Amino acid sequence: MNLTFPNAQGVQLAARLEQPLAQPTRAYALFAHCFTCSKNLNAAVNISRALTQAGIAVLRFDFTGLGESKGDFADTNFSSNVDDLVAAAQFLSENYEPPQLLVGHSLGGAAVLHTAAQLDSVKAVATVAAPANPLHVRQLFTDHENEIEAQGSAEVRLAGRTFTIKQQFLNDLEASSMKNVIGNLQRALLVMHAPTDNTVGVNNAAEIFTAAKHPKSFVSLDNADHLLTRDEDSHYVGQTIAAWASRYIKMSPQPAWVNDIRDNRVAAHTAAGLRTDVMANGHMLVADEPKSVGGTDTGPTPYDLLAGALATCTAMTLRMYADRKKWPLEDVTVAVDHDKVHAEDSAEDSESSESGGSRKLDQFTRTIHLVGDLDGEQRARLQEIANRCPVHRTLESDIRILTELAEDTGVST
């Protein structure tokens, strides 16, 4: 789920909330990406999704001036990154739950170590390829330090992109007192580092581990590089963090309503507000309503889900038909709009008008985009087939809905 939230200066930061798909969210974590990277770095995505498989939702975001976030990177520094993390934690606390786990990659690892002390909810911190001191990144600007000192800033080329580095950035790095921060962490700490890391040497992990007090753990990432470019490395990191963190963070128990669901049954559950968890044959979804009608806008509305059922069924039906015919259909996009419209020119409408009423119909408008070298006859046939998709037929058929109340056990689910 893509989100935005304001930092302390009101700058909108772009974020992505990864939530468990096959179970309810049982805890929340906050992820800090590496220096000049973004929330969409492949390693960040893989680590986050590994955590969600353990029931831990993860909010990852772009620091100010990076990725899709607003603001000017030139005006940021290590301290502003920490402030952005605090703002992200506040957003989670106000809209979901406070984060119990902080995960940081590279300089993001140093940032989460600084941030933990400001967040009472945090019980565990995991660093991946983190420097023992933020000053480590200064080596990236060695050739430009004289220019920065003389002119106040310099254009620096990093990972194929140009960034403006100001003197205040370097001054802020020097002001960080990492050893004291780590020694006073008072949270469980997991240090993960590759012995072959050529960007941030493994000696940094040794310094962090030595400065920290128990409980602390170290995991060697054999043969991994600094950015965890191999999927197997980042998956391993995420799975290891999830297993380790479960010993220190408070995981909400699996709700009874999930355990009671029979196979092939869809269930919806809400405890407070309009946000609703949906379990559909082992897959977890979220439904909600817009803020304008009292919801929190964290998921599609029930009618969005209904329109989505029609759209997905249509696309699948066309895909299967074209494949069976061996037609050159490359891809299909189906867009569905739902409206309430006045019935026109119908006997039922005439009757309702005579009685002083005005009958409305549910109308779904379906727009199908077909890509491929299809001739006119094939396209026309596919339009006909769209009307035969099972959900389409269900919506147009007579439907019976039976409602029964389960026995009241007096126990909240």
Side-chain angles (χ1 to χ4, degrees), residues 53 71 138 142 186 262 286 296 330 339 353 380 388 394:
Q53 292 175 8
R138 190 163 186 162
T142 302
Q186 297 182 340
R262 298 195 301 267
V286 173
T296 54
E330 296 177 12
D339 295 292
S353 297
R388 298 184 184 181
T394 296

Side-chain angles (χ1 to χ4, degrees), residues 30-360:
L30 187 57
F31 185 96
H33 63 69
C34 50
F35 182 58
T36 69
C37 298
S38 82
K39 66 182 184 304
N40 296 324
L41 184 73
N42 192 56
V45 173
N46 289 340
I47 292 171
S48 298
R49 291 181 177 171
L51 288 169
T52 64
Q53 292 175 8
I56 303 172
V58 183
L59 181 71
R60 62 181 195 272
F61 69 97
D62 294 328
F63 286 114
T64 301
L66 293 173
E68 299 171 300
S69 288
K70 305 297 183 181
D72 189 349
F73 175 81
D75 295 328
T76 68
N77 51 40
F78 182 72
S79 294
S80 71
N81 286 351
V82 173
D83 290 342
D84 285 353
L85 278 164
V86 172
Q90 182 178 355
F91 172 80
L92 274 180
S93 300
E94 293 175 351
N95 295 277
Y96 300 92
E97 292 180 10
Q100 296 188 60
L101 170 65
L102 299 183
V103 181
H105 183 198
S106 192
L107 189 62
V112 296
L113 288 169
H114 272 262
T115 304
Q118 301 183 48
L119 304 175
D120 293 337
S121 65
V122 173
K123 308 301 180 187
V125 179
T127 67
V128 183
N133 194 308
L135 271 173
H136 186 277
V137 302
R138 190 163 186 162
Q139 66 180 358
L140 300 173
F141 321 129
T142 302
D143 296 339
H144 300 272
E145 284 199 43
N146 291 336
E147 181 183 354
I148 294 173
E149 184 175 350
Q151 301 183 16
S153 67
E155 299 294 314
V156 178
R157 191 78 173 169
L158 300 172
R161 293 174 295 165
T162 301
F163 296 90
T164 299
I165 304 298
K166 293 183 178 180
Q167 183 65 47
Q168 60 88 19
F169 186 96
L170 300 184
N171 293 341
D172 185 72
L173 293 176
E174 293 177 348
S176 301
S177 180
M178 199 68 174
K179 188 173 182 179
N180 290 335
V181 167
I182 299 171
N184 296 318
L185 187 62
Q186 297 182 340
R187 272 84 170 171
L189 174 64
L190 173 63
V191 180
M192 307 185 77
H193 215 111
T196 53
D197 191 330
N198 294 321
T199 302
V200 178
V202 72
N203 60 297
N204 286 270
E207 290 183 38
I208 294 173
F209 190 83
T210 301
K213 296 180 174 64
H214 287 290
K216 58 182 178 179
S217 304
F218 172 76
V219 173
S220 178
L221 303 176
D222 297 337
N223 301 317
D225 59 22
H226 181 68
L227 292 179
L228 305 177
T229 51
R230 295 190 310 175
D231 285 343
E232 56 263 40
D233 292 328
S234 51
H235 284 304
Y236 173 75
V237 166
Q239 292 163 1
T240 303
I241 292 174
W244 168 83
S246 65
R247 188 175 183 88
Y248 302 103
I249 66 178
K250 183 178 180 181
M251 300 282 283
S252 301
Q254 190 82 302
W257 71 272
V258 172
N259 298 328
D260 293 340
I261 297 173
R262 298 195 301 267
D263 291 341
N264 300 318
R265 196 179 195 189
V266 176
H269 175 266
T270 181
L274 299 180
R275 185 185 183 278
T276 303
D277 291 317
V278 181
M279 179 66 80
N281 199 20
H283 300 279
M284 183 61 67
L285 308 172
V286 173
D288 206 339
E289 290 284 355
K291 294 180 180 179
S292 59
V293 296
T296 54
D297 200 24
T298 57
T301 69
Y303 272 110
D304 289 338
L305 293 174
L306 183 59
L310 177 60
T312 54
C313 184
T314 301
M316 290 177 184
T317 300
L318 295 179
R319 177 79 275 159
M320 288 188 293
Y321 186 85
D323 287 349
R324 187 167 66 249
K325 291 289 188 178
K326 301 188 183 306
W327 288 356
L329 177 63
E330 296 177 12
D331 61 64
V332 183
T333 302
V334 182
V336 174
D337 292 318
H338 170 257
D339 295 292
K340 294 279 190 179
V341 299
H342 289 281
E344 297 178 357
D345 301 325
S346 68
E348 293 85 355
D349 186 59
S350 299
E351 292 175 2
S352 63
S353 297
E354 292 175 0
S355 61
S358 178
R359 194 172 72 91
K360 286 188 175 182

